[in-house]
Amino acid sequence: MKKVNVTINDIKIAVPENYTVLEAAREIDVEIPTLCHLNLHDLKAVNRSASCRVCVVEIEGRGTLAPSCSTYVAEGMVIKTHTPRSVKARRTMVELLLSDHPKDCLVCEKNQRCELQKLAADLCVREIKYTGAQSTYEIDNSSRSIYRNLDKCILCRRCETMCNEVQTCGILSGMDRGFETVVGPAFGLPMIDTMCTFCGQCVAVCPTAALTEINQIREVWDAINDPEKIVVVQTAPAVRVALGEEFGMEAGTIVTGKMAAAMRRLGFDRVFDTDFAADLTIVEEASEFIHRLRHGGTLPILTSCCPAWVKFFEHQFPDLLDIPSTCKSPHEMFGTVVKTYYAAKMKIDPEKLVVVSVMPCLAKKYEAARPELNTNGMQNVDYVISTREAAKMIREAGINFVDLPDEDFDNPLGESTGASVIFGTTGGVIEAALRTACDWLTGESLEKVDYHQLRGLEGIREGTVKIGDMEVRIGIAHGLGNARRLLEDIRSGKSTYHAIEIMACPGGCIGGGGQPYHGGDEGIIKKRADAIYREDQGKAKRKSHENENVIELYRDYLGEYYGEKAHELLHTSYQKRELI
Amino acid sequence: MIKIKSFNELKELKESLNAQREHIRIIVGMATCGMAAGAGEVFDSIAGEIMRQGLKNVTVVRSGCMGACHSEPTVEIVKPGEDPVLYGNVDSSRAKVIISNHIMRGEIVEELVLEKNYETASLGEVEQ
Amino acid sequence: MSGHKQLRIALRNCGVIDPENILEYIARGGYMALGKILDEMAPEDVIDELKKSGLRGRGGGGFPTGLKLEFARRNEGERKYIICNADEGDPGAFMDRSILEGDPQSILEAMAICGYAVGANEGYVYIRAEYPLAIERLTIAIRQAYEAGLIGDDIMGSGFSFDIKIKYGAGAFVCGEETALISSVEGNRGEPHFKPPFPAEKGLWGMPTTVNNVETLANIPSIFNMGAGRFAEIGTKTSKGTKVFALAGNVNKVGLVEVPMGTTLREIVYDIGDGIVGGKKFKAVQTGGPSGGCIPEQFLDIPIDYESLKEIGSMMGSGGMIIMDEDTCMVDIAKYYLEFTTDESCGKCTPCRIGNKRLYEILCKITKGEGTEEDLDSLKELGGIIKDTSLCGLGQTAPNPVLSTMKYFYDEYLSHVRDKKCPAGICSSLTRYEIIADKCIGCTMCAKACPTACISGKVREPHKIDQAKCIKCGACFKACKFDAILKS
Ligand SMILES: Cc1cc2nc3c(=O)[nH]c(=O)nc-3n(C[C@H](O)[C@H](O)[C@H](O)COP(=O)(O)O)c2cc1C
Ligand code: SF4
Ligand code: SF4
Ligand code: SF4
Ligand code: SF4
Ligand code: SF4
Ligand code: SF4
């Protein structure tokens, strides 16, 4: 890349010509504050609406201040980032935003995690300088996943970029004009009546509390405090590599043991691991794949463990409902197994069992209530809380997370293999499935467990895996926009894949809508991915079908893999949904 | 309308069109402003009157805005070889007077004349 | 040249030809410029000629048209586009509408010329749906031009093809801003984008695009017919040719005027507009529409062009020109324009969405008599920051009416906040009606007119207004035949 010479705050520096002024300033350790700007470069999620005007700087020869996030450097450009004029303008932008903002930080979901709040502090805003009309909108808590309080929206449009450009769902867009401008679904529809997949990526990037999760902490405490109930908690693979961030730990710290300890101290009666169910999912899904391969079934097979992705294809590709695997998602399998097998085994009335999932995901909150996922009239999973909500509970309970000792999960639903851990990142489910499918198809126990060609953050990846004398072509997509591209190829007959993994969230579940806020730093997502593979590496067993608890479950209760009982309990069905 | 296939054909068409110009043109300002002021009725009554009087050498033209919003509807009379005359605040009955006096007898209806306070540039020259 | 103050170039055919008959346009020299260009000029020569003419955009920005075309020519693209901006959203402006209604073919000819110059084969006219007559005539014009082979495939046997389609605007003022316009043509929300990239680099569907205003385009065929040199002789040093204004307000002859650049405001107001209605005193002229400013009497004699207007805190804008007499309240005027811009803001950026709203709220406070001198400081400071930080032209110029009236009519602002008086008697909350006992003959007319029945008094005795109940509607003032009611 050609370099150009610029002068920033009297310091001369050469930077690549495709740099913005903001990026150039970072090179000399000058941080220009931003608010609407978002750049998840490798995930292709870039919001450059240049609308908040917080990042304005002076550029010699220009009449007006320039937004540094979207002004590109040019040869000889002379930039001043912190002149009284630009600092005053910046502060005024924040003051104006605050003049149309509820300012109830003390009782706000986003308190201490809010980018607007931080900016106000950083810019030393000490008075509410402007007053006047404030916009008020109705709260939208129509869904089980997303809470919209547009009074707190600062119109950064990050959610829109995420939903429309990255996820191609087109749910959120700007409406009305002037002071009444607002971001939301067409015709002001509540989220529940839209094609929203509840992937929560809009929530993941919202800088304020305009978009947050529907919080179920209260309900979970009530269950824990109810002496009649036996409350079972399960934690998803991606949670253990992110939860530590909420307590100031370095991104990518693996906190599996502390997490299990914390769950126990919160008062959960049994502390289990969704990873167990991930192994279960793999043996079922690998069996289904082999079945389809051997019996001329529909190919490719698509993974189905991401509920946002499931809802996406139900709306957008109803003609392809026979392609996805019919396997339930891991935490749903888990819930089913708890309320049937486990209840029977432990002689507990299933009505007394409450299953709580700790998930990186907001779609799973919605998924838990899907009626076809009930077993014997009971919801398989009663409550889903996000990684963030779990952290809130841990803080509320006064647990010093950082110093907790490592503890193990309870048995019999606590064992897991390395294969289940990698579920948390893009490419992991298919890699896990291959580890099992390869062994089964060849009838051997293969040495090779690491499929490096399938890893990484590229939006669409593909690879060919040789199993015996068969070449299995694998496709991987994360982010629903990428998924759409793969699906369109299938629809048009261009696709030649045998198996495809799809995750709705960029990066997979480690980048899920319920994870600690990354604040626009995609390095955090990468560190979580690295941690996932480290955890896998460190496991004694790395193939799902070697999980003793899983083997025991089939032996004692389910019978055959992909058999009748397994179908009844572990598989589900899909339905066509409207395009609105 | 035939297709013009070359620049020469365009030039020839222009020449022939201008050679035919011996009609008197009655131009009615019929842009949105004129229409709002009643130019439509004025046009109809002029066209009707021309028919009734059997005037053969007169063309009535629906045109755009003449700029005189203060005196709409406006009507301009262009007689070959004479300076154009612009009338303002024309209504149906005044239109009849203009036809009988100006078109038929050559007498300008002075009290309705608007001063034309602009010149027009076109065709390579700034014409009056 | 004769002694006329007006010179019609853009409006040369308006009111002269039948806009629904292409032959009348051809008879007046229509399509001669395009014919000549396709016959004997290279695209670069066309651009050079336009640069030589000094033509600048009439849509508000005043950017040199030749240069703009050159950028689009230089930028690579699979396809390129020419867009005619006929969105004309300034309140009270109708220059572009008049041209489209009176001479639509000139726009089509000019678009084809621009297309040839930049290497574009497709054009769109973006016209507001509220202009039905203009749309009708434009539609007829496009059909006739296609039939005559003057647009479409292989124009006049030259091998150059150019298609023109109409796109309807939804009537939002901000859709006239070129990046918002492009977004709207693409079927998205009409919302401006940060420039660069400029449309000439990445415009419609990401392709190099030029957006030209209707009046700009209307000048183009004439430039080639009369010669760029002759065109450049008209006007001032920096601004060539003429400008069309929609003259409105308290002037005797309102209407559409086209004057050479460099004409003074006095000439327009007094010679062309025939002075102020009712012989009242001139107070200010507002140019540039909602983005412009108010110009006081002291500048009536400066020759107007892009630069001079900007220097005195206003701008050329698209050509709205509103004359105000002594009975105008400048605070009220500023409030009026700001109300317009806050309503029409797309809401995208903070300074415009919230800042202009706050400015407007402060003005409301002042006109209600609740303002303070600190409010005046706030207006100035916030107005300056909004200009400095807004994303598009709308926000960047919205404070102009406030700032220019504050600059030239500060006393009036002061009376509103200090003395709680509206000198022009417009701000109703600040007006007071009193009955002068000496003049009142007790005719009871005022009491009958008063909607709140707050005037008391016996017949043939002086009446009195109960100030606490008076809603300042002014009915009594109008009803009194004896000048016995004092408005202050
Ligand atoms: C808020 C706003 C509204 C505008 N409205 C119009 C309009 O109605 N018509 C127009 O020609 N230009 C309008 N413009 C200017 C256009 O952005 C653009 O500069 C112009 O169309 C370019 O054409 P020109 O170079 O021929 O003037 C507007 C600009 C802004 C900021
Ligand atoms: S969104 Fe942020 S600034 Fe607003 S109330 Fe909540 S914490 Fe405070
Ligand atoms: S949850 Fe996902 S699909 Fe729904 S609005 Fe947010 S980004 Fe769009
Ligand atoms: S909802 Fe959040 S992300 Fe979306 S525009 Fe508002 S503040 Fe930004
Ligand atoms: S990718 Fe993971 S976190 Fe994201 S919606 Fe799917 S299951 Fe949930
Ligand atoms: S300045 Fe106003 S109209 Fe322009 S982008 Fe900002 S909010 Fe929209
Ligand atoms: S101004 Fe209106 S309300 Fe007041 S006294 Fe006169 S008529 Fe009555």
Side-chain angles (χ1 to χ4, degrees):
Chain A
M1 180 65 62
K2 212 183 115 201
K3 288 202 163 186
V4 294
N5 299 295
V6 298
T7 311
I8 306 176
N9 302 345
D10 298 325
I11 299 171
K12 289 191 168 40
I13 178 180
V15 294
E17 63 177 353
N18 67 346
Y19 267 36
T20 59
V21 170
L22 180 71
E23 288 162 334
R26 280 186 188 147
E27 295 284 303
I28 59 159
D29 298 317
V30 170
E31 197 55 43
I32 303 166
T34 59
L35 190 51
C36 67
H37 180 66
L38 177 80
N39 189 351
L40 302 178
H41 180 266
D42 288 347
L43 299 172
K44 310 259 180 319
V46 181
N47 187 50
R48 202 164 265 155
S49 65
S51 60
C52 73
R53 315 310 273 184
V54 163
C55 70
V56 288
V57 296
E58 275 186 57
I59 296 180
E60 218 172 82
R62 297 214 182 169
T64 55
L65 296 171
S68 58
C69 71
S70 34
T71 304
Y72 288 89
V73 292
E75 184 56 43
M77 194 180 255
V78 179
I79 303 149
K80 292 240 159 68
T81 62
H82 284 73
T83 56
R85 174 176 158 212
S86 49
V87 170
K88 176 158 202 178
R90 256 173 234 158
R91 189 170 24 247
T92 304
M93 293 309 111
V94 176
E95 284 166 348
L96 286 172
L97 286 169
L98 293 183
S99 76
D100 183 26
H101 196 87
K103 300 180 281 288
D104 52 3
C105 300
L106 282 177
V107 291
C108 179
E109 183 79 34
K110 221 40 186 288
N111 192 15
Q112 298 189 313
R113 296 286 186 277
C114 172
E115 294 178 43
L116 177 62
Q117 191 189 46
K118 178 170 184 304
L119 197 57
D122 288 353
L123 292 175
C124 292
V125 176
R126 286 292 175 276
E127 56 170 340
I128 300 306
K129 192 160 167 190
Y130 300 101
T131 51
Q134 280 199 20
S135 6
T136 48
Y137 301 96
E138 243 175 77
I139 301 278
D140 176 4
N141 56 3
S142 59
S143 74
R144 288 177 170 257
S145 298
I146 295 174
Y147 187 89
R148 289 167 69 235
N149 177 359
L150 295 175
D151 295 1
K152 296 192 175 178
C153 174
I154 54 154
L155 284 159
C156 69
R157 318 294 280 275
R158 287 182 187 177
C159 55
E160 221 181 306
T161 298
M162 262 298 176
C163 188
N164 303 349
E165 286 173 29
V166 181
Q167 303 296 62
T168 66
C169 292
I171 308 303
L172 303 173
S173 57
M175 287 177 304
D176 287 337
R177 354 203 102 253
F179 193 68
E180 274 76 48
T181 308
V182 64
V183 171
F187 318 115
L189 284 175
M191 294 292 263
I192 193 69
D193 294 337
T194 69
M195 290 193 295
C196 173
T197 65
F198 304 119
C199 70
Q201 282 305 305
C202 48
V203 175
V205 295
C206 179
T208 68
L211 295 173
T212 53
E213 63 266 43
I214 299 266
N215 182 316
Q216 289 201 308
I217 294 175
R218 260 314 112 219
E219 289 84 339
V220 174
W221 279 131
D222 288 348
I224 290 175
N225 294 332
D226 184 343
E228 294 295 304
K229 299 285 185 197
I230 297 169
V231 188
V232 174
V233 69
Q234 55 166 329
T235 56
V239 176
R240 66 208 64 199
V241 295
L243 183 60
E245 292 163 30
E246 283 282 336
F247 303 96
M249 297 164 88
E250 171 68 18
T253 311
I254 302 170
V255 294
T256 318
K258 291 183 195 300
M259 176 177 73
M263 293 300 137
R264 209 159 273 129
R265 293 184 190 198
L266 285 177
F268 287 109
D269 299 302
R270 305 283 186 283
V271 180
F272 290 142
D273 197 359
T274 313
D275 285 21
F276 159 81
D279 281 331
L280 182 57
T281 307
I282 286 302
V283 297
E284 273 304 305
E285 209 166 283
S287 304
E288 186 181 358
F289 176 50
I290 291 171
H291 182 87
R292 288 206 206 173
L293 265 182
R294 292 208 172 124
H295 297 89
T298 328
L299 287 175
I301 185 169
L302 306 184
T303 58
S304 58
C305 43
C306 168
W309 148 237
V310 167
K311 188 159 186 273
F312 179 78
F313 74 65
E314 287 180 326
H315 283 291
Q316 314 258 356
F317 296 90
D319 49 325
L320 299 178
L321 291 186
D322 58 333
I323 299 186
S325 158
T326 52
C327 287
K328 289 180 182 172
S329 66
H331 87 122
E332 284 294 333
M333 284 199 182
F334 185 96
T336 317
V337 169
V338 166
K339 294 200 176 174
T340 55
Y341 163 71
Y342 183 75
K345 185 176 168 112
M346 308 305 284
K347 306 201 169 48
I348 303 171
D349 173 5
E351 297 280 356
K352 284 190 164 177
L353 281 165
V354 175
V355 177
V356 177
S357 301
V358 181
M359 295 283 129
C361 181
L362 300 189
K364 293 199 166 107
K365 288 174 177 271
Y366 137 84
E367 182 195 30
R370 284 181 66 129
E372 72 275 16
L373 290 176
N374 287 0
T375 309
N376 306 328
M378 277 174 294
Q379 219 170 284
N380 297 331
V381 171
D382 297 277
Y383 302 111
V384 176
I385 58 171
S386 64
T387 311
R388 295 188 294 262
E389 289 168 78
K392 286 196 173 102
M393 290 182 71
I394 293 169
R395 276 195 294 271
E396 192 183 340
I399 297 166
N400 179 0
F401 186 83
V402 177
D403 294 332
L404 282 178
D406 286 349
E407 289 180 14
D408 284 331
F409 291 106
D410 293 328
N411 271 323
L413 306 178
E415 187 191 336
S416 66
T417 70
S420 66
V421 174
I422 56 175
F423 258 65
T425 181
T426 166
V429 177
I430 207 84
E431 181 169 341
L434 281 171
R435 290 178 189 176
T436 292
C438 283
D439 273 16
W440 283 352
L441 281 166
T442 58
E444 299 167 37
S445 180
L446 298 171
E447 284 285 301
K448 180 180 160 75
V449 286
D450 291 313
Y451 294 84
H452 289 286
Q453 76 208 86
L454 301 178
R455 299 180 184 175
L457 279 185
E458 198 46 47
I460 295 182
R461 303 190 296 286
E462 50 185 20
T464 306
V465 174
K466 236 174 133 64
I467 307 183
D469 48 7
M470 196 178 69
E471 300 226 316
V472 176
R473 284 183 300 280
I474 304 294
I476 296 169
H478 59 124
L480 290 170
N482 294 321
R484 181 188 293 279
R485 274 159 54 204
L486 281 191
L487 264 277
E488 269 160 7
D489 281 353
I490 295 174
R491 192 182 253 169
S492 68
K494 268 200 289 189
S495 166
T496 60
Y497 300 116
H498 294 99
I500 296 178
E501 178 204 290
I502 291 175
M503 289 290 158
C505 296
C509 301
I510 49 171
Q515 292 282 60
Y517 294 108
H518 52 65
D521 179 356
E522 69 182 347
I524 292 179
I525 295 174
K526 288 180 186 158
K527 285 181 189 159
R528 291 177 192 161
D530 291 345
I532 288 258
Y533 289 115
R534 272 204 317 281
E535 172 100 335
D536 166 34
Q537 210 82 49
K539 286 272 192 179
K541 289 182 183 166
R542 299 182 61 197
K543 294 173 182 171
S544 297
H545 56 286
E546 293 171 359
N547 182 323
E548 293 294 341
N549 285 174
V550 170
I551 296 170
E552 196 181 301
L553 169 65
Y554 279 92
R555 192 188 60 218
D556 295 352
Y557 192 72
L558 289 174
E560 257 175 86
Y561 295 138
Y562 201 54
E564 201 179 319
K565 186 99 180 164
H567 257 103
E568 182 195 326
L569 295 178
L570 307 181
H571 289 256
T572 181
S573 59
Y574 307 114
Q575 67 189 72
K576 178 178 162 38
R577 290 176 195 271
E578 291 305 314
L579 268 174
I580 30 162
Chain B
M1 177 85 209
I2 38 137
K3 244 193 166 77
I4 299 163
K5 289 192 227 51
S6 70
F7 185 30
N8 269 333
E9 280 187 28
L10 178 72
K11 284 192 253 187
E12 280 160 20
L13 176 62
K14 183 194 162 196
E15 295 303 313
S16 72
L17 287 169
N18 283 320
Q20 298 163 5
R21 281 249 164 131
E22 63 226 5
H23 276 213
I24 298 173
R25 285 163 67 83
I26 303 180
I27 306 172
V28 186
M30 291 178 74
T32 297
C33 42
M35 297 296 274
E41 283 161 44
V42 172
F43 181 89
D44 290 345
S45 70
I46 292 178
E49 190 66 12
I50 298 296
M51 281 251 282
R52 207 167 21 255
Q53 301 289 353
L55 300 172
K56 289 277 177 297
N57 63 334
V58 177
T59 317
V60 194
V61 178
R62 297 168 201 267
S63 191
C65 173
M66 301 184 187
C69 306
H70 49 86
S71 306
E72 294 286 358
T74 48
V75 172
E76 188 170 46
I77 309 291
V78 188
K79 286 190 168 182
E82 288 177 24
D83 281 347
V85 176
L86 179 63
Y87 292 106
N89 302 312
V90 182
D91 58 18
S92 299
S93 61
R94 285 169 178 172
K96 282 184 195 135
V97 178
I98 293 171
I99 290 171
S100 64
N101 290 17
H102 190 163
I103 305 285
M104 295 171 66
R105 289 207 300 278
E107 294 163 10
I108 294 176
V109 190
E110 296 291 350
E111 63 273 24
L112 295 178
V113 172
L114 288 182
E115 185 203 355
K116 189 164 174 176
N117 60 351
Y118 57 84
E119 54 189 309
T120 301
S122 76
L123 308 181
E125 285 140 69
V126 179
E127 308 176 328
Q128 166 45 41
Chain C
M1 274 217 224
S2 74
H4 289 317
K5 301 288 182 193
Q6 291 202 60
L7 174 64
R8 292 187 147 197
I9 298 178
L11 299 177
R12 65 194 175 281
N13 290 327
C14 289
V16 178
I17 63 166
D18 178 351
E20 298 184 13
N21 183 351
I22 191 171
L23 291 175
E24 295 219 339
Y25 181 66
I26 293 173
R28 294 263 303 168
Y31 287 102
M32 292 301 279
L34 179 63
K36 188 172 86 179
I37 286 167
L38 295 181
D39 209 42
E40 51 195 57
M41 289 173 80
E44 291 79 8
D45 301 338
V46 176
I47 290 174
D48 281 346
E49 194 71 3
L50 280 173
K51 278 159 81 177
K52 220 166 79 190
S53 74
L55 177 66
R56 293 169 66 176
R58 305 292 194 240
F63 193 80
T65 307
L67 216 53
K68 193 187 310 195
L69 294 179
E70 190 170 40
F71 288 147
R73 170 154 196 86
R74 271 208 241 122
N75 289 315
E76 300 279 323
E78 247 171 77
R79 279 160 289 132
K80 295 182 183 181
Y81 297 97
I82 304 293
I83 297 179
C84 166
N85 187 344
D87 194 53
E88 197 169 52
D90 288 23
F94 56 96
M95 298 74 57
D96 297 347
R97 186 190 72 201
S98 296
I99 292 171
L100 288 168
E101 287 176 354
D103 191 15
Q105 293 290 354
S106 69
I107 302 306
L108 306 183
E109 182 181 2
M111 287 176 74
I113 292 174
C114 292
Y116 178 72
V118 308
N121 302 103
E122 278 173 77
Y124 289 97
V125 182
Y126 185 85
I127 185 166
R128 50 176 41 222
E130 291 95 329
Y131 279 180
L133 187 59
I135 290 171
E136 186 187 321
R137 291 190 177 157
L138 188 63
T139 310
I140 295 172
I142 291 176
R143 181 168 44 78
Q144 292 182 349
Y146 266 110
E147 282 168 10
L150 295 170
I151 58 171
D153 285 343
D154 189 18
I155 298 171
M156 289 184 261
S158 64
F160 173 69
S161 302
F162 193 75
D163 286 305
I164 298 180
K165 295 192 192 83
I166 300 181
K167 284 274 174 183
Y168 303 106
F173 174 60
V174 73
C175 284
E177 196 281 334
E178 53 190 7
T179 58
L181 183 155
I182 287 170
S183 185
S184 167
V185 172
E186 289 171 350
N188 298 321
R189 177 174 159 90
E191 205 178 70
H193 294 271
F194 179 67
K195 297 185 278 192
F198 289 93
E201 306 158 54
K202 275 200 170 105
L204 189 58
W205 319 116
M207 298 294 157
T209 303
T210 28
V211 181
N212 290 310
N213 165 260
V214 170
E215 186 187 333
T216 314
L217 289 170
N219 277 292
I220 289 178
S222 289
I223 289 174
F224 289 92
N225 287 331
M226 67 198 282
R230 296 224 25 215
F231 186 86
E233 280 166 22
I234 306 164
T236 67
K237 198 153 161 261
T238 58
S239 311
K240 304 300 183 188
T242 58
K243 179 75 194 88
V244 182
F245 289 102
L247 192 59
N250 309 120
V251 65
N252 282 317
K253 286 189 177 169
V254 296
L256 210 57
V257 306
E258 180 172 355
V259 292
M261 298 277 186
T263 304
T264 65
L265 286 168
R266 189 180 300 283
E267 287 171 304
I268 297 176
V269 176
Y270 289 95
D271 298 343
I272 299 171
D274 202 20
I276 307 297
V277 178
K280 289 211 169 145
K281 230 172 110 352
F282 169 92
K283 183 164 189 179
V285 43
Q286 211 279 351
T287 69
S291 337
C294 291
I295 304 168
E297 190 166 11
Q298 71 203 82
F299 296 117
L300 273 182
D301 290 312
I302 63 153
I304 50 172
D305 66 11
Y306 291 101
E307 277 65 33
S308 65
L309 283 176
K310 209 158 178 186
E311 238 159 70
I312 55 179
S314 183
M315 61 190 279
M316 185 74 79
S318 55
M321 186 175 276
I322 297 167
I323 313 300
M324 300 164 193
D325 68 15
E326 55 191 324
D327 292 340
T328 317
C329 167
M330 300 317 277
V331 187
D332 184 62
I333 286 292
K335 193 179 91 180
Y336 165 80
Y337 281 110
L338 210 58
E339 181 172 18
F340 177 83
T341 33
T342 48
D343 281 352
E344 293 293 329
S345 154
C346 83
K348 182 170 181 171
C349 68
T350 313
C352 177
R353 180 181 72 249
I354 309 178
N356 281 322
K357 172 89 175 172
R358 298 294 173 246
L359 277 191
Y360 174 70
E361 287 168 341
I362 297 173
L363 286 174
C364 288
K365 231 175 106 184
I366 295 175
T367 54
K368 275 200 217 125
E370 294 159 9
T372 62
E373 283 184 57
E374 288 81 71
D375 284 331
L376 299 187
D377 297 337
S378 286
L379 280 181
K380 216 188 256 168
E381 182 183 285
L382 184 56
I385 292 175
I386 292 169
K387 279 175 69 99
D388 212 7
T389 51
S390 287
L391 191 151
C392 87
L394 190 149
Q396 282 162 11
T397 57
N400 282 354
V402 186
L403 297 177
S404 74
T405 49
M406 280 186 82
K407 185 163 167 197
Y408 299 122
F409 302 93
Y410 197 68
D411 286 352
E412 241 174 86
Y413 278 84
L414 272 183
S415 319
H416 281 75
V417 297
R418 252 191 217 156
D419 316 331
K420 310 290 174 204
K421 285 233 167 351
C422 172
I426 294 294
C427 300
S428 56
S429 323
L430 295 180
T431 347
R432 196 181 151 90
Y433 293 92
E434 271 169 299
I435 296 173
I436 309 164
D438 289 353
K439 285 194 179 173
C440 178
I441 62 152
C443 73
T444 76
M445 289 304 280
C446 59
K448 283 187 190 123
C450 179
T452 58
C454 62
I455 302 182
S456 54
K458 294 202 180 103
V459 188
R460 282 191 287 281
E461 276 174 28
H463 282 47
K464 204 169 158 39
I465 297 176
D466 178 352
Q467 295 296 340
K469 276 162 75 190
C470 172
I471 57 162
K472 337 245 176 184
C473 70
C476 53
F477 184 73
K478 283 192 203 110
C480 181
K481 304 254 186 309
F482 304 93
D483 284 340
I485 297 182
L486 179 73
K487 177 182 170 186
S488 61

